[in-house]
């Protein structure tokens, strides 16, 4: 039988090890040893806590079962070797250490020591652990400047401290808020600022990460290694990460300057709406207002829609105007081009997040621009490691999600240029898996109520293994057989 013995801690923050900790231990029988075979995992309950128990090559491991992103049960995800991938949004964790290996999760998981007894019992005992982060070291003047307050900058700063960087870290953003979860702006109504912060100010103080709010870069001089800001100040850097992202593109029609036209870029733009009606194959030609506020929206078809607020979501523009006079290369759309190390043509200058055009490994290093949260986080980590002379290539597989009418759609891969789709299930049943085919190979997958199929496909992509069109067509409609065909 498997016996659990452990001291449980809050998932959000694990304290450093305390040899004098006298918290009460929990011991429970959780399963028979024969219940878990190699390459399998299961959720076990100990007290009021959920633990993920895994077995690989005869070795047992146990970590927290809730993904540190949005709390998904990892036991419903996909295990491959020593990695478990979240079924909801694709975050990955090492089952032996609890370490985060792929975003969008932010934190590691609590880990538990496993011992097999001579009588066949398996004992699990918690080891306190936290992803160690340092702080500034006196006398170290090396300065890393991070432009932009999004996911790439935050993860870059955290990775630098985790890897022992003792110099100065400056994170500068034109936003009013500390780095926050911007994905929630389009998915959760009536969001409050404090509820979406990724880290609170105490975190930045603890690890000597300086944050400058409401400050915007105007120009970059890569020869002098300086950035000039809108308040007239000039900051020197030794290494620079540019991750200023993009902004919403506005409508070029009369009435766009009315007070209650929103762009869905900040928490202040959020509203609560219950009724949704779609007008397909139509365009806005005019916005009419009374007393400076929106009252009607006129469509190309001639329809007039009464409105109190207009929310515009028609695309983005890169925030790269301040780079136009610099030596940093941009493509025809003014996105910054980088290599697989997130470096520009200037050795001390890196770029990440929505602003970057980068080589995607799974697409044979084709240069792409992917404006998504998980990729921005990966960019920040890769940039930080290479800043520290730890050569690391970007190898993440894109993993997206969106919520429409209360249903979550998941997508992994890079499907541009697909020529065929293999379908499992049906749109009408609101349960399907779509496999996108190009050159007789699967290049992307999308699903609704078909978990963890997209995570299984993502794992295959990460491993560099091909899913052929024939293999996709052969896979059965039942999810279990599909996963077996993917990993068999």
């Amino acid at each position: 039988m498997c016996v659990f013995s452990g001291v449980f801690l809050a998932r959000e923050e694990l304290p450093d090890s305390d040899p004098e900790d006298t918290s009460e231990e929990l011991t429970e029988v959780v399963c028979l040893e024969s219940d878990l075979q190699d390459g399998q995992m299961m959720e076990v309950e100990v007290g009021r806590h959920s633990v993920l128990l895994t077995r690989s090559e005869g070795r047992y491991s146990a970590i927290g079962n809730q993904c540190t992103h949005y709390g998904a049960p990892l036991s419903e995800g996909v295990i491959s070797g020593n990695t478990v991938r979240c079924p909801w949004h694709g975050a990955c964790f090492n089952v032996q250490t609890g370490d985060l290996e792929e975003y969008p999760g932010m934190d590691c998981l609590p880990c538990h020591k496993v011992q097999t007894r001579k009588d066949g019992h398996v004992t699990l005992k918690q080891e306190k652990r936290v992803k160690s982060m340092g702080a500034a070291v006196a006398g170290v003047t090396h300065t890393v400047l991070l432009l932009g307050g999004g996911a790439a900058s935050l993860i870059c700063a955290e990775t630098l401290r985790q890897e022992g960087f003792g110099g100065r870290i400056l994170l500068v953003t034109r936003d009013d808020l500390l780095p926050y979860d911007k994905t929630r702006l389009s998915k959760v109504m009536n969001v409050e600022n404090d509820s979406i912060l990724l880290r609170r100010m105490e975190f930045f103080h603890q690890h000597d990460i300086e944050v400058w709010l409401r400050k915007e870069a105007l120009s970059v001089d890569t020869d002098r290694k300086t950035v000039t800001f809108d308040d007239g100040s000039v900051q020197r850097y030794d290494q620079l990460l540019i991750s200023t992202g993009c902004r919403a593109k506005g409508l070029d029609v009369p009435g766009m300057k009315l007070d209650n036209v929103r762009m869905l870029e900040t928490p202040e733009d959020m509203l609560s709406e219950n009724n949704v009606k779609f007008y397909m194959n139509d365009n806005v030609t005019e916005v009419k207002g009374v007393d400076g506020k929106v009252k009607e929206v006129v469509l190309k078809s001639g329809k007039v829609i009464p409105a109190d607020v207009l929310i515009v979501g028609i695309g983005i523009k890169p925030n790269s105007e301040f780079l136009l006079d610099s030596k940093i290369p941009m493509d025809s759309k003014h996105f910054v081009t980088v290599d697989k190390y997130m470096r520009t043509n200037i050795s001390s200058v890196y770029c990440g997040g929505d602003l970057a055009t980068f080589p995607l490994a799974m697409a044979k290093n084709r240069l792409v621009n992917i404006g998504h949260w998980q990729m921005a986080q990966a960019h920040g980590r890769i940039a930080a490691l290479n800043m520290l002379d730890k050569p690391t290539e970007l190898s993440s597989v894109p993993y997206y999600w969106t919520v429409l009418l209360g249903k979550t759609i998941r997508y992994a891969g890079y499907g541009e240029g697909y020529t065929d789709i293999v379908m499992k299930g049906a749109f009408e049943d609101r349960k399907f898996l779509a496999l996108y085919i190009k050159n007789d190979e699967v290049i992307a997958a999308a699903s609704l109520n078909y978990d963890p199929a997209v995570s299984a496909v993502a794992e295959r992509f990460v491993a560099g293994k091909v899913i052929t069109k024939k293999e996709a067509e052969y896979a059965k409609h039942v999810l279990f057989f599909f996963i077996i065909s993917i990993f068999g």
Side-chain angles (χ1 to χ4, degrees):
M1 293 184 177
C2 298
V3 180
F4 183 93
S5 174
V7 180
F8 282 88
L9 307 174
R11 177 174 60 86
E12 288 76 17
E13 291 189 25
L14 294 175
D16 292 324
S17 296
D18 180 3
E20 300 192 10
D21 178 56
T22 57
S23 301
E24 181 181 357
E25 291 188 351
L26 298 174
T27 303
E28 289 186 20
V29 175
V30 293
C31 71
L32 293 171
E33 190 173 348
S34 59
D35 288 341
L36 205 60
Q37 305 301 315
D38 273 357
Q40 293 183 345
M41 60 182 175
M42 65 184 298
E43 176 188 8
V44 295
E45 293 291 335
V46 180
R48 291 172 291 116
H49 304 277
S50 178
V51 175
L52 182 70
L53 185 64
T54 67
R55 184 176 182 179
S56 178
E57 297 181 352
R59 178 180 177 180
Y60 290 94
S61 300
I63 58 176
N65 188 43
Q66 287 186 299
C67 177
T68 59
H69 181 226
Y70 285 168
L74 295 175
S75 56
E76 296 179 10
V78 174
I79 187 169
S80 177
N82 291 323
T83 299
V84 60
R85 182 178 287 267
C86 173
W88 290 2
H89 307 127
C92 294
F93 300 88
N94 186 298
V95 297
Q96 295 183 356
T97 65
D99 282 351
L100 176 70
E101 293 189 343
E102 182 59 274
Y103 304 98
M106 290 288 293
D107 297 306
C108 301
L109 287 163
C111 185
H112 314 279
K113 187 175 182 180
V114 182
Q115 292 180 330
T116 303
R117 302 188 331 203
K118 292 182 179 179
D119 59 5
H121 291 176
V122 179
T123 301
L124 292 76
K125 185 172 183 179
Q126 176 162 358
E127 293 181 320
K128 289 185 178 181
R129 59 174 295 279
V130 63
K131 190 72 171 180
S132 178
M133 287 183 64
V137 176
V140 180
T141 60
H142 191 101
T143 299
V144 174
L145 179 59
L146 311 173
L147 297 182
S153 287
L154 177 59
I155 296 300
C156 184
E158 292 194 15
T159 303
L160 288 170
R161 288 294 188 234
Q162 289 168 359
E163 296 294 323
F165 176 69
R168 187 183 185 192
I169 301 176
L170 270 169
L171 190 156
V172 187
T173 174
R174 68 178 184 178
D175 290 339
D176 295 328
L177 284 178
L178 294 170
Y180 60 93
D181 186 349
K182 294 185 179 180
T183 66
R184 292 176 66 82
L185 296 186
S186 61
K187 297 173 177 65
V188 181
M189 298 301 178
N190 297 323
V191 167
E192 295 185 5
N193 291 352
D194 286 348
S195 70
I196 57 175
L197 293 181
L198 295 171
R199 303 294 189 198
R200 301 192 178 277
M201 186 57 81
E202 294 78 14
F203 175 89
F204 296 99
H205 287 162
Q206 180 182 358
H207 301 294
D208 293 325
I209 300 169
E210 299 177 55
V211 181
W212 294 351
L213 302 177
R214 297 176 291 278
K215 197 162 183 170
E216 187 172 358
L218 295 183
S219 63
V220 175
D221 188 328
T222 55
D223 292 328
R224 291 186 173 88
K225 289 189 173 183
T226 59
V227 176
T228 300
F229 295 94
D230 56 354
D231 61 0
S233 62
V234 178
Q235 176 61 49
R236 189 187 177 282
Y237 64 84
D238 292 288
Q239 290 169 307
L240 174 68
L241 174 68
I242 302 168
S243 56
T244 48
C246 300
R247 64 186 182 277
K249 186 186 298 183
L251 284 167
D252 186 17
V253 299
M256 277 301 293
K257 292 186 178 180
L258 294 170
D259 286 345
N260 46 351
V261 175
R262 306 289 181 88
M263 307 299 288
L264 204 61
E265 288 185 303
T266 69
E268 287 70 33
D269 293 328
M270 294 303 297
L271 299 166
S272 179
E273 294 292 334
N274 295 317
N275 299 314
V276 178
K277 185 175 181 180
F278 291 95
Y279 293 84
M280 309 301 290
N281 300 315
D282 218 334
N283 296 314
V284 175
T285 58
E286 185 179 0
V287 183
K288 294 183 177 181
V290 176
D291 297 328
K293 294 185 177 181
V294 173
K295 284 298 179 183
E296 293 178 339
V297 176
V298 181
L299 303 184
K300 185 178 180 180
S301 62
K303 295 176 182 176
V304 178
I305 305 171
D308 297 310
V309 176
L310 173 63
I311 300 174
V312 180
I314 59 169
I316 57 171
K317 289 183 178 180
N319 293 319
S320 58
E321 289 86 353
F322 70 101
L323 300 175
L324 291 175
D325 294 328
S326 75
K327 295 181 179 179
I328 298 169
M330 292 186 282
D331 62 19
S332 60
K333 296 181 180 179
H334 293 163
F335 291 93
V336 177
T337 304
V338 298
D339 61 17
K340 57 189 175 182
Y341 305 104
M342 306 312 298
R343 257 188 327 241
T344 68
N345 64 327
I346 311 294
S347 61
S348 60
V349 179
Y350 297 75
C351 183
D354 296 1
L355 187 60
T357 294
F358 60 94
L360 182 63
M362 70 159 291
K364 298 179 174 58
N365 290 318
R366 176 180 176 180
L367 286 176
V368 301
N369 174 259
I370 297 176
H372 188 66
W373 194 249
Q374 167 243 3
M375 292 303 298
Q377 292 172 292
H379 291 173
R381 177 178 178 273
I382 297 300
L385 293 173
N386 288 294
M387 285 179 180
L388 298 174
D389 291 326
K390 298 181 178 182
T392 309
E393 298 180 9
L394 180 70
S395 59
S396 293
V397 168
Y399 198 114
Y400 316 83
W401 66 94
T402 191
V403 179
L404 297 173
L405 302 178
K407 302 295 182 181
T408 301
I409 295 175
R410 317 196 194 286
Y411 180 101
Y414 187 72
E416 185 171 329
Y418 74 92
T419 56
D420 197 5
I421 299 179
V422 174
M423 289 290 299
K424 309 295 176 185
F427 290 108
E428 297 77 14
D429 298 333
R430 295 190 178 183
K431 182 175 182 179
F432 67 84
L433 170 65
L435 299 171
Y436 295 81
I437 311 295
K438 181 179 180 181
N439 298 327
D440 287 327
E441 295 180 5
V442 175
I443 58 172
S447 76
L448 174 64
N449 291 325
Y450 226 100
D451 293 338
V454 168
S455 288
V457 174
E459 278 302 300
R460 184 79 172 236
F461 290 156
V462 168
K465 297 179 180 178
V466 171
I467 307 173
T468 65
K469 180 179 180 180
K470 183 177 180 180
E471 184 179 13
E473 291 174 333
Y474 178 76
K476 306 299 182 183
H477 287 267
V478 180
L479 177 59
F480 174 77
F481 288 109
F482 172 74
I483 295 176
I484 292 298
S485 74
I486 294 296
F487 289 100

